[in-house]
Amino acid sequence: MSLRLCCRPSFCGFNNKRDLLSSDLAANQLNNPMGKWFSGVKKFIPFKGYVKLVQTTARISFPTISSDIKDKAPSDLLSHKKAVPYSDPPRMEDVESLYQFFDKSTKLIVLTGAGMSTESGIPDYRSPNGAYSTGFKPITHQEFLRSTKARRRYWARSYAGWRRFTAAQPSTGHIALSSLEKAGHISFMITQNVDRLHHRAGSNPLELHGTVYIVACTNCGFSLPRDLFQDQVKAHNPKWAEAIESLDYDSRSDKSFGMKQRPDGDIEIDEKFWEEDFYIPDCQRCQGVLKPDVVFFGDNVPKAKADAAMEAAKGCDAFLVLGSSLMTMSAFRLVKAAHEAGAATAIVNIGATRADDLVPLKISARVGEILPRLLNVGSLSIPSL
């Protein structure tokens, strides 16, 4: 379908800005460059020193989504209401402020947090709808290492939830951030997230807290891809794995294997099905303990990563936080260091953050709703390919 816009944007056929943004998602799921969404725009000129919309005519086309692409892309920003905290659509003045922040910087560092991933349906910990609100307590590094039972519980639940976890798709925020990065508006990106959605959107950030896509030995350091580890778990536990893969999550019969779906997408597994018979593969080199290559609670960020992130923070002229409450010291110390080094600092996040008293520009908005609006503004405009 197409819309004809004249003078001030009047989004006919849409009830509000979010309805329009949901159409943006359709374009994302077809992997269309964002610059292709708009065609026939006659003129843009700056306002208030930056961007002003004048009377113009534009035709905006939104492609339809075929059934096979819908099947491949189950992630929908507006369908994850439980994962994403409520926020009003971003105001024009917020878009302008964020545009100015980008436009004035020459060496911009971006730090992203769980608020990016919630828009893809992956729950966070600390938001009002996060895992902590349900009483969930994540495993600690110390508990994982000392307790065989804890490791069995962790890997059983993680194996069961892997298929759903990897089905998540990059959001409009991930896609927009990648577009800005490729256009040279971002010098370096750091993420607290372990889901590699940034990579799937085309970015290559420093993974401050590691990634669940790699499994590593805690003894010798040998590592292997997570998919290979999943295959090993399946080979050692064939009947258990078969029950997982054919699971009717709502079943109360024996076929349910004592499992039921949790509201946040994890799989809750009856203890009797993993406490005794569930086998965890050992390191193939030294028979050591294997764990996901992530920084669990109670552990420290590897020194090389911490040093690289700190060096980037101290050397930038602007530091932008997207979707993070900055409650972990490993993240907070970076924005604090950038601020103390004289860099401009800003945060886009729903809810309070640890650096609210430190950062002069704080915008309460969904990252996936505000970033795409920068792609057709002034010097940040991303040309059609």
Side-chain angles (χ1 to χ4, degrees):
M1 82 175 180
S2 63
L3 302 177
R4 189 172 184 82
L5 309 185
C6 297
C7 300
R8 295 182 177 180
S10 175
F11 302 125
C12 303
F14 294 96
N15 293 326
N16 52 48
K17 296 177 183 177
R18 269 204 188 119
D19 290 344
L20 180 60
L21 286 168
S22 67
S23 294
D24 290 355
L25 274 169
N28 167 35
Q29 292 173 345
L30 279 175
N31 296 320
N32 282 353
M34 292 196 175
K36 291 185 179 180
W37 294 351
F38 294 82
S39 62
V41 178
K42 294 183 178 178
K43 190 176 182 183
F44 282 98
I45 63 176
F47 72 68
K48 294 183 181 179
Y50 290 92
V51 173
K52 179 168 70 175
L53 294 176
V54 297
Q55 183 167 347
T56 184
T57 300
R59 187 169 295 277
I60 302 178
S61 298
F62 302 108
T64 58
I65 305 177
S66 64
S67 59
D68 60 324
I69 288 182
K70 285 181 180 179
D71 292 339
K72 294 178 182 178
S75 183
D76 184 333
L77 168 63
L78 299 181
S79 70
H80 298 303
K81 294 181 179 179
K82 290 184 178 180
V84 187
Y86 174 79
S87 175
D88 290 326
R91 302 172 302 171
M92 189 59 214
E93 50 264 42
D94 291 333
V95 177
E96 180 186 349
S97 295
L98 190 57
Y99 164 73
Q100 293 179 19
F101 185 83
F102 268 87
D103 192 48
K104 291 178 180 179
S105 69
T106 59
K107 197 173 183 181
L108 173 63
I109 304 300
V110 172
L111 170 69
T112 69
M116 294 284 300
S117 297
T118 56
E119 297 181 15
S120 294
I122 297 177
D124 63 358
Y125 287 112
R126 294 181 173 87
S127 73
N129 300 324
Y132 285 157
S133 69
T134 67
F136 174 76
K137 293 182 179 179
I139 192 169
T140 66
H141 180 75
Q142 294 76 14
E143 182 184 8
F144 186 93
L145 292 183
R146 71 170 177 254
S147 171
T148 301
K149 181 178 179 180
R151 290 196 294 274
R152 283 198 180 111
R153 180 178 66 245
Y154 174 85
W155 280 123
R157 292 173 61 94
S158 186
Y159 180 94
W162 184 244
R163 183 173 56 184
R164 174 183 287 261
F165 183 84
T166 56
Q169 299 294 312
S171 70
T172 49
H174 292 102
I175 301 295
L177 201 59
S178 177
S179 297
L180 290 164
E181 183 183 27
K182 290 175 181 177
H185 299 302
I186 298 171
S187 298
F188 191 65
M189 192 186 305
I190 305 166
T191 185
Q192 298 172 260
N193 300 334
V194 300
D195 49 47
R196 293 216 159 159
L197 288 174
H198 283 301
H199 293 74
R200 293 168 66 184
S203 298
N204 187 29
L206 171 67
E207 296 175 309
L208 193 64
H209 295 157
T211 176
V212 292
Y213 279 82
I214 296 175
V215 177
C217 177
T218 58
N219 182 50
C220 71
F222 172 77
S223 64
L224 69 158
R226 175 61 184 269
D227 285 339
L228 180 56
F229 180 80
Q230 291 284 113
D231 291 341
Q232 292 179 3
V233 172
K234 182 176 181 179
H236 286 295
N237 307 276
K239 291 183 179 179
W240 190 92
E242 182 182 1
I244 286 286
E245 291 166 5
S246 62
L247 181 64
D248 176 1
Y249 294 117
D250 295 323
S251 173
R252 294 185 180 181
S253 68
D254 291 340
K255 187 179 179 181
S256 72
F257 219 59
M259 306 171 197
K260 56 184 178 181
Q261 186 176 11
R262 288 168 53 92
D264 58 5
D266 287 344
I267 305 300
E268 183 177 331
I269 305 176
D270 192 307
E271 188 172 307
K272 66 183 179 181
F273 292 107
W274 54 256
E275 186 175 22
E276 298 294 339
D277 298 328
F278 182 72
Y279 177 81
I280 307 171
D282 295 324
C283 174
Q284 64 190 56
R285 287 190 179 177
C286 72
Q287 286 69 55
V289 172
L290 294 175
K291 70 179 285 291
D293 191 23
V294 300
V295 179
F296 281 159
F297 286 86
D299 195 9
N300 296 315
V301 174
K303 187 177 186 304
K305 286 187 177 183
D307 290 347
M310 182 57 71
E311 181 180 356
K314 289 181 176 180
C316 70
D317 69 352
F319 193 101
L320 174 63
V321 178
L322 298 174
S324 176
S325 63
L326 300 171
M327 292 302 175
T328 61
M329 180 55 72
S330 59
F332 174 72
R333 64 196 290 265
L334 297 177
V335 67
K336 184 173 184 290
H339 174 77
E340 292 175 347
T345 51
I347 297 173
V348 178
N349 188 64
I350 302 173
T353 81
R354 192 173 183 173
D356 283 354
D357 294 335
L358 192 70
V359 172
L361 176 60
K362 168 72 182 297
I363 297 172
S364 180
R366 293 176 179 174
V367 177
E369 291 187 349
I370 193 168
L371 281 189
R373 294 178 63 178
L374 296 179
L375 298 184
N376 290 283
V377 176
S379 64
L380 301 187
S381 181
I382 308 298
S384 298
L385 301 178

